[in-house]
């Protein structure tokens, strides 16, 4: 089959590689000057950094993890790291997830968190229904104490929205419920670990996270046209035309609001739904520093409080690979989400560094390099009507004969490993079409 794939992020390139291996004739069209999308990295003064914030290689699925490692050059091309994440909680570092670190809080805060946790647990056992908005969900699930001491300030900083106006459905399955026993143990000072699927991760030895996409493109057996925005996609009988060229199948991975105008056949009500899908953007700032001693053995640190500055997370990026910073130097990346209100300048970035200095994260007097990048599509804006809206949008695409997937191609809160897992599903779907010769509805289960 002759297949057009729109967008050369990890979704588009991984699918292209899989289809080309089956002998299909695959063309990937990418608006930007190079592939990578949200997985791109760049260099400045010998420092490498990921343009869209801290990325790590991990997956719950072993086959997907192996696929990713292989693209990065196999075991020799990646570094294995233990995840050491903390929350900067006032004057101290608390292990993450916060529930598992509750014994590190002040005695008063520990008591408040546990009191709320037990109360919430009892209420759930008594049948309290799962709230539809995220604010109430936090209290329902974790209680007032955890809400006040971490969940509310952190999430308000990240999502930049009143949490009462945000849906709770996105957290289902994403935030695993810690067993009561683990939390009780944590409260009396016996450390327990949460999110164990991420406790070990990998990172490309050289080139930053983008190495994953570079390795997917190299030897991939497909055509990649960069600097080629997709402007028009039309149906021609049982075939399709993309920018005038004929294809048997079109797969989209471009953020839906950035591609809808290219599809004249999208009905007005679906188009209106797509246009209402707003993203949350991200400014990611690189701080390169001269080091007298190695950085603390941390992977990343969450910053929940406004007085710590606008960044919600700082990655200790030179800890990921020795090649991420020049010898004798270290690097950090600070992530600031934005709804368009943050226009970064060097002065703004230096102020951010000063605040991180005051929060005890980095020594801003040792700064040698500052750089930043803004991405428009970083997080999904989970408004209360999001589920209904996206269900209508996906339904149209899945009936249309086109396939759409990807973080914003389908609006799923997916990491790159889940994008690759989706590509594997689409790959299986295309095999089905190729064998039967008849179009079929894609099988992308929620
Ligand atoms: C802060 C942050 C942290 C993350 N951390 C991790 C992590 O630790 N590990 C992990 O695995 N994942 C992580 N992710 C998720 C990961 O970045 C995404 O899941 C993945 O990169 C999405 O890939 P994609 O191909 O679906 O979309 P994208 O990367 O957005 O690709 C879409 C492509 O479409 C192109 N495009 C746009 N318009 C057009 C047009 N008109 N014509 C042609 N092309 C067009 C764009 O230029 C882009 O290249 C993180 C994401 C963020 C924001």
């Amino acid at each position: 089959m002759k297949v057009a794939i729109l967008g050369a992020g990890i979704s588009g390139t991984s699918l292209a590689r899989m289809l080309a291996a089956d002998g299909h004739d695959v063309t990937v069209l990418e608006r930007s000057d190079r592939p990578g999308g949200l997985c791109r990295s760049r260099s400045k003064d010998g420092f490498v950094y990921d343009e869209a914030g801290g990325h790590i290689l991990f997956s719950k699925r072993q086959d997907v993890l192996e696929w990713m490692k292989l693209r990065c050059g196999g075991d020799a091309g990646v570094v294995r790291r233990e995840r050491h994440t903390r929350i900067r909680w006032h004057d101290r570092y608390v292990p993450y997830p916060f529930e598992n670190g509750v014994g590190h809080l002040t005695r008063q805060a520990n008591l408040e968190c546990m009191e709320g946790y037990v109360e919430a647990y009892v209420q759930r056992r008594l049948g309290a229904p799962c709230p539809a908005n995220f604010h109430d969900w936090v209290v329902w699930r974790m209680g007032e104490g955890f809400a006040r001491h971490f969940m509310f300030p952190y999430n308000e900083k990240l999502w930049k929205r009143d949490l009462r106006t945000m849906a709770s459905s996105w957290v289902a399955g994403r935030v695993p419920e810690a067993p009561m026993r683990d939390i009780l143990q944590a409260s009396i000072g016996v450390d327990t670990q949460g999110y164990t699927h991420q406790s070990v991760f990998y990172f490309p030895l050289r080139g930053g996270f983008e190495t994953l996409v570079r390795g997917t493109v190299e030897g991939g057996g497909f055509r990649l046209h960069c600097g080629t925005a997709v402007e028009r996609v039309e149906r021609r009988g049982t075939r399709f035309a993309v920018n005038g060229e004929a294809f048997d199948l079109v797969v989209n991975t471009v953020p839906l609001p950035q591609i809808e105008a290219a599809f004249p056949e999208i009905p007005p009500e679906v188009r209106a739904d797509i246009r209402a899908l707003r993203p949350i953007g991200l400014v990611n700032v690189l701080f390169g520093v001269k080091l007298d001693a190695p950085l603390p053995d941390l992977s990343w640190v969450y910053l929940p409080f406004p007085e710590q500055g606008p960044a919600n997370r700082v990655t200790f990026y030179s800890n990921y690979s020795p090649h991420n910073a020049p010898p004798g130097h270290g690097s950090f990346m600070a992530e600031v989400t934005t709804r368009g209100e943050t226009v970064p300048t060097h002065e703004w970035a230096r102020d951010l560094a000063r605040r991180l200095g005051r929060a005890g994260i980095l020594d801003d007097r040792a700064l040698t390099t500052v750089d930043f990048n803004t991405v428009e599509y970083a997080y999904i804006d989970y408004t209360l009507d999001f589920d209904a809206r996206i269900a209508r949008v996906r339904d149209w695409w899945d009936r249309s004969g086109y396939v759409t997937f990807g973080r914003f191609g389908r609006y799923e809160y997916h990491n790159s490993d889940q994008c690759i897992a989706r590509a594997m599903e689409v790959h299986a779907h295309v095999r089905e079409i190729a064998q039967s010769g008849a179009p079929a509805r894609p099988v992308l289960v929620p």
Side-chain angles (χ1 to χ4, degrees), residues 160 281-285 310-313 334-338 342 348 352:
K160 303 239 166 354
L282 180 85
V283 181
N284 184 40
V285 187
N312 64 280
R313 180 169 83 135
E335 292 165 25
V336 179
T337 50
T338 174
T342 304
W348 173 86
L352 180 63

Side-chain angles (χ1 to χ4, degrees), residues 102-103 114 180-192:
V102 63
M114 293 313 297
M180 176 59 102
R181 189 184 168 82
D182 280 15
I183 307 305
L184 291 171
Q185 276 190 319
S187 170
I188 58 168
V190 181
D191 277 348
T192 53

Side-chain angles (χ1 to χ4, degrees), residues 10-11 30-31 38-39 52 55-56 230 254 406-407 414-416:
I10 190 60
S11 297
E30 166 59 47
R31 184 182 63 176
L38 286 170
C39 293
H55 279 62
I56 57 171
V230 174
V254 174
R407 182 158 165 126
H414 278 179
N415 280 325
S416 53

